[in-house]
């Protein structure tokens, strides 16, 4: 178990607040372009003549790219520091949005999604590593929940506000505008972020050899309990992100006939629920003092919300929005999974530990998008209507979630009270 980080000295609190703002701005923008695809899928599919399986593959590309970068990203963060990592990766994100804006074919849009996956690969974990070096250890889950909740404002902005922008200027110009904002955010992060407090008693190991970096990565994978934890991450919260990241917008278009702005309103409900869920899990972590128990309860609540949607896939619009809101409220127990994983490792392995969890989340996310794309294509080929096709997807995600829970439930608990710290 890692030692607790010292509390922030009063003279550094303003600096820490500025850093959090810069890191959050990068993360917020990544959430906008990450989830933008679900809002504009109907328009892109129509313009580029994409099938349902091609839509699923396109949505999965960004997340496979993101997942492929997680192990290198963990090494980069631990070896060179989160400040450089997050700033340099913004170059790829900006390039991805510019390519997306100019795309005229499925191939170039797929390339854009790959660049966006690479460009966003360090954003969250860099922020969490900074938080882990600046804050007491038993505040880590609250820090994680707060950062992800701040990032969830990107989910909010990717709903009604983004729909208004897309309606006004088109999806291509929207990507171009986001590219400019991402460039500014990357420069701000480079100018303000400090990897550790100036008077920190622990010197971050940012220049370990490549061999030591790879050995540390193997140590993370071999740690008892990590296999259970990453399986739960890949098959638990990832089920929700599959819906939020790809199918929520098409569901409201196909089943309820909503246009872009109305879809944005429906997605806004999910985004607000996610913010509440992220903050709630971060607070409950210390108050309930059981990470395994909190994850297990969250998993079953999420399964229950999917079961409601499977039972009533063509529910009236208000009820459908409420059920999707429950998904957003119950799903963010990845906050606790990050904290559970962080408790296993010392500071110099923190980046690799958390990128391993992130890797699991996005491999699950990408794989489930790919699988559900083909499942949706199969359902349509069988003559199923829109509601029944989505019921197949909901039932599949329930089965996946139950399997993830069965794998995780035997893990050793990690109690926040054992983390120490003020």
């Amino acid at each position: 178990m890692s030692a607790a980080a010292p509390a922030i000295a009063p003279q550094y609190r303003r600096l820490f607040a500025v850093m959090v703002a810069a890191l959050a701005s990068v993360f917020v923008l990544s959430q906008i372009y990450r989830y933008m695809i679900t809002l504009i899928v109907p328009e892109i599919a129509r313009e580029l003549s994409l099938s349902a399986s091609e839509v699923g593959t396109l949505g999965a590309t960004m997340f496979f790219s993101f997942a492929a970068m997680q192990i290198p990203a963990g090494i980069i963060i631990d070896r060179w520091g989160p400040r450089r990592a997050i700033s340099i990766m913004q170059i790829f994100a900006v390039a991805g949005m510019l390519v997306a804006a100019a795309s005229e074919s499925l191939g170039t849009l797929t390339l854009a999604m790959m660049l966006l996956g690479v460009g966003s690969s360090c954003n969250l974990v860099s922020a969490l590593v900074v938080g882990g070096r600046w804050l007491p250890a038993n505040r880590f889950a609250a820090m994680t929940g707060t950062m992800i909740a701040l990032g969830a404002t990107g989910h909010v902005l990717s709903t009604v506000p983004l729909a208004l922008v897309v309606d006004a200027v088109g999806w291509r110009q929207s990507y171009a505008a986001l590219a400019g904002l991402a460039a500014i955010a990357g420069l701000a992060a480079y100018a303000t972020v400090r990897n550790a407090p100036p008077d920190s008693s622990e010197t971050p190991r940012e220049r370990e050899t490549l061999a030591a970096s790879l050995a540390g990565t193997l140590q993370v994978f071999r740690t008892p309990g990590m296999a259970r934890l990453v399986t739960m991450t890949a098959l638990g919260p990832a089920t929700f992100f599959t819906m939020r990241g790809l199918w929520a917008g098409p569901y409201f278009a196909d089943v309820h006939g909503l246009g872009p702005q109305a879809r944005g309103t429906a997605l806004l409900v999910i985004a607000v629920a996610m913010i509440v869920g992220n903050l709630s899990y971060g607070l409950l972590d210390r108050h309930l003092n059981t990470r395994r128990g909190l994850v297990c309860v969250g998993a079953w609540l999420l399964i229950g919300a999917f079961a409601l949607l499977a039972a009533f896939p063509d529910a009236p619009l208000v009820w459908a929005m409420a059920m999707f809101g429950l998904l957003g409220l119950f799903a963010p127990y990845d906050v606790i999974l990050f904290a559970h994983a962080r408790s296993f490792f010392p500071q110099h392995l923190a980046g690799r530990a958390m990128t391993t969890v992130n890797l699991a989340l996005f491999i699950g996310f990408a794989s489930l998008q790919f699988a559900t794309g083909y499942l949706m294509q199969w359902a349509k080929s069988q003559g199923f209507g829109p509601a029944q096709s989505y019921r197949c997807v909901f039932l599949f995600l329930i089965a996946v979630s139950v399997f993830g829970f069965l794998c995780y439930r035997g893990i050793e608990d990690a109690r926040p009270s054992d983390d120490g710290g003020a």
Side-chain angles (χ1 to χ4, degrees):
M1 184 176 299
S2 63
I8 300 174
Q11 66 269 30
Y12 299 135
R13 288 174 185 168
R14 180 175 296 179
L15 172 60
F16 184 74
V18 170
M19 290 194 306
V20 169
L23 292 167
S25 68
V26 173
F27 190 43
V28 165
L29 288 168
S30 73
Q31 299 306 292
I32 295 174
Y33 62 72
R34 179 180 294 170
Y35 293 104
M36 181 176 177
I37 190 73
T38 192
L39 180 71
I40 61 176
V41 153
E43 287 71 29
I44 289 179
R46 185 165 54 249
E47 184 174 332
L48 301 182
S49 301
L50 304 182
S51 67
S53 59
E54 287 173 328
V55 167
T57 301
L58 179 64
T61 298
M62 183 193 305
F63 300 102
F64 275 127
S65 173
F66 182 100
M69 277 297 298
Q70 288 307 289
I71 299 305
I75 293 173
I76 290 168
I77 292 168
D78 284 335
R79 192 177 185 194
W80 298 102
R83 172 174 172 259
R84 290 184 185 177
I86 197 171
S87 303
I88 292 172
M89 288 302 174
Q90 282 300 100
I91 297 171
F92 293 93
V94 170
M97 283 178 276
L98 293 176
V99 171
S103 292
E104 296 290 347
S105 68
L106 176 61
T108 53
L109 197 54
T110 300
L111 173 61
M113 296 301 108
M114 292 177 62
L115 290 170
L116 289 175
V118 174
S120 60
S121 61
C122 290
N123 293 353
L124 175 59
V125 173
S126 292
L128 298 186
V129 170
V130 170
R133 292 177 178 179
W134 280 74
L135 294 172
N138 67 349
R139 302 282 178 170
F140 184 78
M143 164 69 182
T144 304
T146 300
M147 181 56 66
I148 296 178
L150 288 171
T153 61
H155 293 245
V156 173
L157 294 172
S158 69
T159 60
V160 175
L162 182 61
L164 293 172
V165 174
V166 171
D167 271 354
V169 302
W171 61 269
R172 298 178 187 280
Q173 290 78 6
S174 299
Y175 270 123
L178 283 171
L181 293 175
I184 294 171
L187 291 172
Y190 186 81
T192 62
V193 171
R194 300 294 178 267
N195 293 331
D199 55 0
S200 174
S201 59
E202 180 177 352
T203 302
R205 303 183 185 185
E206 294 176 3
R207 293 300 182 92
E208 64 184 0
T209 65
L210 180 59
S213 295
L214 294 173
T217 301
L218 290 175
Q219 181 182 339
V220 169
F221 279 102
R222 291 171 178 170
T223 298
M226 280 298 287
R228 292 179 181 273
L229 194 148
V230 299
T231 301
M232 178 56 150
T233 305
L235 303 181
T239 58
F240 163 74
F241 289 114
T242 299
M243 289 306 302
R244 173 62 184 93
L246 184 62
W247 294 116
Y251 167 85
F252 286 109
D254 296 341
V255 177
H256 295 284
L258 301 188
Q261 290 192 33
R263 290 199 303 269
T265 301
L267 296 175
L268 177 61
V269 172
I270 306 173
V272 172
M274 283 184 60
I275 294 174
V276 175
N278 278 305
L279 292 173
S280 298
Y281 277 113
L283 293 173
L284 289 171
D285 177 67
R286 286 191 301 121
H287 289 293
L288 297 184
N289 199 35
T290 170
R291 287 176 177 141
R292 181 180 61 194
L294 189 51
V295 167
C296 289
V297 170
W300 279 109
L301 289 172
L302 180 61
I303 290 168
F306 271 122
L308 285 173
L309 282 164
F312 308 103
D314 55 354
L317 177 59
V318 172
W319 287 106
M321 290 171 64
M323 289 187 286
F324 269 88
L326 290 178
L327 290 181
L329 181 65
F330 298 144
Y333 57 86
D334 54 317
V335 167
I336 308 303
L337 292 168
F338 274 111
H340 200 161
R342 178 67 185 86
S343 68
F344 291 161
F345 300 98
Q347 287 278 23
H348 74 279
L349 292 177
R352 275 156 286 189
M354 286 181 286
T355 52
T356 299
V357 177
N358 233 13
L359 170 66
L361 180 63
F362 283 89
I363 283 182
F365 188 177
S367 299
L368 291 174
Q369 284 193 335
F370 188 80
T372 53
Y374 277 92
L375 178 59
M376 184 69 74
Q377 187 81 3
W378 172 84
K380 290 181 178 180
S381 72
Q382 299 302 304
F384 292 179
Q388 298 309 313
S389 297
Y390 282 100
R391 171 178 278 162
C392 293
V393 173
F394 297 140
L395 290 172
F396 172 72
L397 295 177
I398 289 170
V400 168
S401 298
V402 171
F403 183 78
F405 166 80
L406 293 175
C407 292
Y408 176 81
R409 65 178 180 171
I411 198 171
E412 182 181 352
D413 202 358
R415 300 182 182 278
S417 60
D418 295 333
D419 286 346

